[in-house]
Amino acid sequence: MNKKRGQNNKNNENNKNNLTNNIDQIFDSFIKQTIFQNKLILQGNYTPETIPHREKQIAQVAAIIAPSLRLERPSNLFIYGLTGTGKTLVVQYIKNQLFKRAEKQNVSLIIPYINCKLKKVADTEYRILVELIGKLGEKVPATGLPTDQLYHRFLNLINRKKQIVILILDEIDQAVKKIGDEFLYNLTRINTELTNAQISIIGISNDLKFLDTLDPRVRSSLGEEEILFPTYNALQLQKILRDRAKDAFKPNILSEGVIAKCAAYAAREHGDARRALDLLRIAGELVERNNKRKITLDYIDKAKQKIEVDKIILAVETQPKQFQLTLLAIIELFKKNKEKNKIFTGDIYNFYRELCKRTRTEYLTQRRVSDIIAEFDMQGVINAKVISKGRYGRTREIRLDLPTNLLDKINHLLVDSLNL
DNA sequence: CGAGATTCATGTGAAGTATACCTTTAGGCTTAA
DNA sequence: AAGCCTAAAGGTATACTTCACATGAATCTCGTA
């Protein structure tokens, strides 16, 4: 991205009248020389026809929710496994199949899918309900209504006729971590108030120990059935990649060993298939951007770097202003005293106050900043631990395990977006 | 020298406040008979 | 008189503040060996 911008600038300086021409050229080269046959196939939300090495899990899930086709309530299901092990994919796949079948048999099924991780979309009980009702085709305000009224609306909405609702809650551990497990209890209890419809819940979690942290009541009802998704090994990853690459790229685009390398990288990170596919896709995009016709091994490395950078950059970019200021304070402090490698809340807060003064921004209290730091920790941007320094008090010890070049990038990004 | 008290800097919980937004309601205005 | 619009009243969620108390190991204190 940066590279492209740089080129544009240069052209711009050379001859402003040529600008549209140049853009045209860029577009042209994109259209003509694509090495992709169907890039969608490599994208994260694509559901392929077959899912290799997940036959057993598919069968299990299908067996568990099959009763819905007879309008019987399926057991609640809890699915867990590390990221990129195909949990969401399998569930989506079965959801589609189930829909087809339900249509044929004239059974009324509703299967809303909600990702609880999305900040500002579904990270409170209220917002999850808003999202849920929205999926059912009804608009509700983003604020202002009592939560239990949302429950009532939801209830009435699905109870209008005899039907089964299978609620899919992805990244459920994130939501519970943030807002507690009470909403799950409420959801599981809805059934007792439903006369026509029935609801069951599919919870998906990346956290293997998540179920243990739940309130026993919730645990027993949510975990009526449990399925573990094991990680893929390198060989399985290769098969997955090969299957998808076959249709995604035009022939003769991949050099020898590209797939193996992608698979090896992903296998090293607990067999994350999504990661492997991203690697392949990004590598392809990079190749295309450089007007080459062949994905070579070194592009995989480039793609790997780009993914890591992009992921964090995106996370940083989308933060609210106060969060950005806090993060900037953390990063600047780290750059200042590199040798120490750890900093404390108090230092951050002071520096943060200074930054606020510089940007003429209202500053938040330390109480709030403390919570913000805790949130960054949860998001995995920083690494914080509450420690006691004995006589010298108690604080969070914050570490930042990011490569320096990335650090600088974020730094610049923040400085830019905050107008410093 | 060691057990227990003290201390510091901030974590953390609860309650309160400001803001933005929602629904309800009542009054006022328009309209059409 | 019926219908519609508007503004006020009363309510909620969320982000933040204020207040108050909790934490936990380094350090201090003081009695004892």
Side-chain angles (χ1 to χ4, degrees):
Chain A
M1 225 234 240
N2 287 331
K3 215 171 242 173
K4 202 163 76 182
R5 214 179 282 154
Q7 279 170 6
N8 273 348
N9 285 341
K10 244 181 239 163
N11 291 335
N12 206 349
E13 284 157 23
N14 288 346
N15 187 346
K16 276 178 188 167
N17 297 331
N18 257 345
L19 185 62
T20 45
N21 263 343
N22 284 322
I23 293 179
D24 263 353
Q25 273 172 25
I26 293 171
F27 288 164
D28 276 351
S29 66
F30 245 89
I31 291 164
K32 278 179 201 155
Q33 304 203 2
T34 179
I35 57 171
F36 290 106
Q37 193 164 334
N38 182 359
K39 196 156 84 175
L40 287 178
I41 292 178
L42 294 179
Q43 236 125 44
N45 48 10
Y46 176 79
T47 316
E49 296 286 308
T50 57
I51 308 175
H53 308 294
R54 284 289 172 262
E55 293 79 9
K56 200 173 129 203
Q57 283 78 13
I58 291 177
Q60 281 178 315
V61 176
I64 289 165
I65 58 176
S68 61
L69 287 172
R70 287 197 309 235
L71 279 179
E72 290 167 21
R73 191 188 84 86
S75 298
N76 290 333
L77 170 61
F78 180 69
I79 293 177
Y80 59 112
L82 295 174
T83 39
T85 48
K87 302 181 296 294
T88 308
L89 188 59
V90 164
V91 170
Q92 294 283 14
Y93 174 77
I94 292 185
K95 173 182 164 177
N96 292 340
Q97 300 287 317
L98 198 63
F99 264 140
K100 274 188 209 157
R101 197 56 186 270
E103 207 166 299
K104 221 187 278 175
Q105 309 210 340
N106 217 0
V107 175
S108 186
L109 272 183
I110 301 182
I111 312 181
Y113 169 90
I114 292 183
N115 189 329
C116 307
K117 193 184 174 180
L118 300 176
K119 204 172 171 176
K120 293 275 183 186
V121 175
D123 61 351
T124 67
E125 178 172 22
Y126 187 90
R127 297 212 257 242
I128 288 176
L129 281 167
V130 169
E131 188 71 10
L132 192 50
I133 294 172
K135 289 265 155 88
L136 297 178
E138 193 126 316
K139 275 263 181 286
V140 278
T143 167
L145 289 185
T147 306
D148 59 330
Q149 193 173 340
L150 284 200
Y151 270 108
H152 273 109
R153 286 202 192 185
F154 176 59
L155 228 109
N156 292 334
L157 211 52
I158 59 176
N159 205 25
R160 279 199 293 236
K161 58 179 176 176
K162 196 161 176 58
Q163 61 186 349
I164 300 290
V165 178
I166 301 176
L167 172 57
I168 303 171
L169 294 173
D170 206 347
E171 317 250 9
I172 197 173
D173 47 324
Q174 300 286 331
V176 169
K177 228 187 252 168
K178 189 139 187 211
I179 57 179
D181 49 17
E182 203 160 320
F183 81 99
L184 280 177
Y185 182 66
N186 292 336
L187 279 175
T188 54
R189 262 183 23 144
I190 278 188
N191 269 320
T192 59
E193 298 186 37
L194 288 169
T195 48
N196 284 322
Q198 293 268 280
I199 184 169
S200 61
I201 299 172
I202 298 181
I204 303 178
S205 158
N206 294 326
D207 182 353
L208 303 184
K209 286 171 296 187
F210 169 68
L211 215 47
D212 299 332
T213 66
L214 287 180
D215 181 304
R217 290 175 309 181
V218 179
R219 198 210 146 121
S220 63
S221 68
L222 177 64
E224 285 173 353
E225 302 275 356
E226 295 174 30
I227 298 180
L228 169 70
F229 276 55
T231 55
Y232 296 112
N233 62 34
L235 269 172
Q236 293 170 330
L237 285 172
Q238 283 195 34
K239 159 95 173 124
I240 293 170
L241 288 175
R242 219 164 260 132
D243 278 3
R244 293 229 202 168
K246 199 175 62 187
D247 298 323
F249 292 109
K250 290 179 176 166
N252 295 322
I253 294 294
L254 298 175
S255 328
E256 190 70 21
V258 163
I259 296 234
K261 188 163 183 179
C262 282
Y265 269 149
R268 212 181 299 159
E269 311 207 9
H270 62 252
D272 185 339
R274 189 179 339 168
R275 188 39 123 13
L277 289 166
D278 281 346
L279 272 174
L280 205 54
R281 191 189 78 241
I282 302 282
E285 284 171 4
L286 289 175
V287 165
E288 199 167 70
R289 206 166 290 162
N290 289 1
N291 282 322
K292 299 270 170 51
R293 302 284 303 160
K294 198 109 181 152
I295 299 181
T296 48
L297 287 178
D298 51 329
Y299 274 100
I300 305 294
D301 288 312
K302 284 184 196 159
K304 190 181 176 217
Q305 270 186 20
K306 182 166 159 46
I307 286 175
E308 270 161 29
V309 172
D310 282 2
K311 197 178 77 183
I312 295 181
I313 299 267
L314 182 74
V316 171
E317 263 175 344
T318 52
Q319 297 291 345
K321 196 170 183 188
Q322 294 291 354
F323 283 62
Q324 289 190 340
L325 276 166
T326 310
L327 187 57
L328 184 58
I330 295 173
I331 289 177
E332 296 264 2
L333 269 180
F334 260 97
K335 280 170 60 178
K336 256 191 195 166
N337 33 35
K338 228 171 211 161
E339 64 294 343
K340 258 203 284 177
N341 191 30
K342 48 183 99 160
I343 52 179
F344 306 110
T345 307
D347 307 334
I348 294 173
Y349 186 66
N350 291 334
F351 200 91
Y352 158 83
R353 281 281 288 267
E354 213 174 287
L355 286 178
C356 285
K357 214 184 285 172
R358 243 191 275 168
T359 42
R360 304 229 184 83
T361 317
E362 297 277 312
Y363 60 84
L364 302 177
T365 48
Q366 178 153 352
R367 178 71 185 79
R368 179 63 185 144
V369 172
S370 172
D371 280 349
I372 290 177
I373 294 173
E375 266 192 60
F376 276 132
D377 183 36
M378 272 215 338
Q379 289 174 32
V381 180
I382 62 174
N383 206 323
K385 204 168 87 188
V386 179
I387 56 154
S388 176
K389 291 193 293 173
R391 183 77 172 64
Y392 305 104
R394 201 171 123 87
T395 183
R396 278 202 177 81
E397 178 186 277
I398 288 142
R399 290 186 299 112
L400 204 51
D401 314 313
L402 298 174
T404 335
N405 61 337
L406 182 52
L407 222 61
D408 289 339
K409 219 166 198 169
I410 298 174
N411 199 180
H412 286 144
L413 193 82
L414 288 175
V415 170
D416 272 2
S417 89
L418 295 170
N419 279 324
L420 273 170

